[in-house]
Amino acid sequence: MSMARILAVVNQKGGVGKTTTSVNLAAALAQAGQRVLLVDLDPQGNATMGSGVDKRTLSRTVYHVLLGLGEAANIRTRSQSGRYDLMPANRELAGAEVELVEMPNREARLRDALAGIAGDYDYILIDCPPSLSLLTINGLVAAQAVLIPMQCEYYALEGLSDLVGTIKRVRAHLNPTLEIAGLLRTMFDPRNTLSLQVSEQLETHFGDKVYRVLVPRNVRLAEAPSYGAPAVVWDPASKGAKAYIALAEELLARREKR
């Protein structure tokens, strides 16, 4: 699995831009010539819909992959708008949480499923649900590194310490090579004093783990999913799209230095 760079996009707090980041980063990396797979690990299926795939018409999803009812290679589909491959999800995935509890190797089901197709990609992005659930643990065990989108507000800092603790526990018991790839400041408003203060605190504590790119509050990012396309495709000139294109460039530059 060394060929693909596997990133879990994680934050247990909802509404911080996880899915927006996953979809737009996948499309921006694809535009940069990378072979990309986006895994939708959230039962809400928002990354699936945002990729232009109707979750209501799917007969096979990541649910079947996790439960061993289908091969990952056969269940991935294509996001025509984003030009990347997608392992889709819908509400059926919510049942996997209960069914996985009794299964052997339950935390590593996704990792094992991806092993056979990782060589087909340069990047695999995993959009995790907004909770520290068994689905999220599967994402963390499958990943090499964690990308954490977060808003610059007080509660975000509190939640970040919980998430870092979870990452440490996963590294200790399930995935010893897991690392934090970076923290992405989303919905950033430079007019907000608290945003600036929290941003500075993040840079002080996490240093170069904080991506230089700041994703601004941008209505085009919110509108794009209703058109079934990532914002970087639907409105590449928007400020939000430009931020994710810059993030893809930063990721690629960091990987070259590794």
Side-chain angles (χ1 to χ4, degrees):
M1 294 179 71
S2 59
M3 286 182 68
R5 176 74 168 151
I6 306 176
L7 298 175
V9 183
V10 180
N11 193 323
Q12 75 272 32
K13 192 173 185 298
V16 298
K18 280 191 306 299
T19 298
T20 298
T21 296
S22 299
V23 168
N24 283 286
L25 180 56
L29 287 167
Q31 286 180 355
Q34 302 296 298
R35 301 168 301 159
V36 182
L37 171 67
L38 173 58
V39 179
D40 190 351
L41 209 55
D42 189 341
Q44 295 177 88
N46 290 338
T48 298
M49 297 293 276
S51 300
V53 175
D54 190 346
K55 64 183 179 182
R56 296 163 296 192
T57 62
L58 296 168
S59 58
R60 312 282 275 172
T61 67
V62 70
Y63 166 84
H64 298 88
V65 173
L66 291 173
L67 269 65
L69 304 173
E71 295 289 328
N74 300 328
I75 289 170
R76 58 187 168 177
T77 187
R78 188 74 175 165
S79 167
Q80 296 300 334
S81 58
R83 293 189 301 171
Y84 51 80
D85 284 352
L86 171 74
M87 197 174 291
N90 56 23
R91 68 181 64 179
E92 199 173 24
L93 184 57
E97 194 75 46
V98 177
E99 294 173 66
L100 280 171
V101 170
E102 300 297 326
M103 300 194 81
N105 207 25
R106 62 186 184 184
E107 298 94 351
R109 308 284 294 187
L110 181 62
R111 182 190 66 192
D112 295 347
L114 291 176
I117 60 171
D120 297 344
Y121 300 102
D122 300 304
Y123 280 89
I124 297 176
L125 304 179
I126 305 170
D127 184 32
C128 295
S131 62
L132 296 178
S133 62
L134 193 48
L135 290 173
T136 299
I137 297 300
N138 262 269
L140 292 173
V141 171
Q144 297 159 350
V146 183
L147 192 162
I148 306 171
M150 60 179 296
Q151 288 178 261
C152 290
E153 57 181 36
Y154 174 74
Y155 289 124
L157 285 176
E158 212 171 58
L160 180 60
S161 61
D162 293 339
L163 180 55
V164 170
T166 299
I167 292 168
K168 285 179 179 176
R169 286 192 294 275
V170 170
R171 191 163 53 214
H173 301 291
L174 297 164
N175 183 359
T177 60
L178 186 66
E179 61 180 3
I180 294 177
L183 282 77
L184 176 67
R185 293 162 288 182
T186 60
M187 304 178 198
F188 188 77
D189 184 353
R191 299 167 300 179
N192 185 320
T193 305
L194 180 60
S195 285
L196 294 169
Q197 289 173 345
V198 172
S199 179
E200 287 173 10
Q201 280 184 275
L202 288 173
E203 289 175 343
T204 300
H205 290 294
F206 289 93
D208 60 3
K209 288 290 185 186
V210 180
Y211 292 111
R212 293 191 303 275
V213 173
L214 293 158
V215 180
R217 282 196 179 275
N218 183 240
V219 69
R220 306 303 265 177
L221 290 173
E223 290 173 345
S226 64
Y227 293 89
V232 298
V233 175
W234 180 63
D235 188 1
S238 65
K239 288 181 179 178
K242 285 179 178 177
Y244 281 112
I245 291 166
L247 176 63
E249 291 170 355
E250 190 171 344
L251 249 72
L252 291 168
R254 285 189 179 199
R255 189 173 185 182
E256 283 182 14
K257 291 178 183 177
R258 288 174 65 85

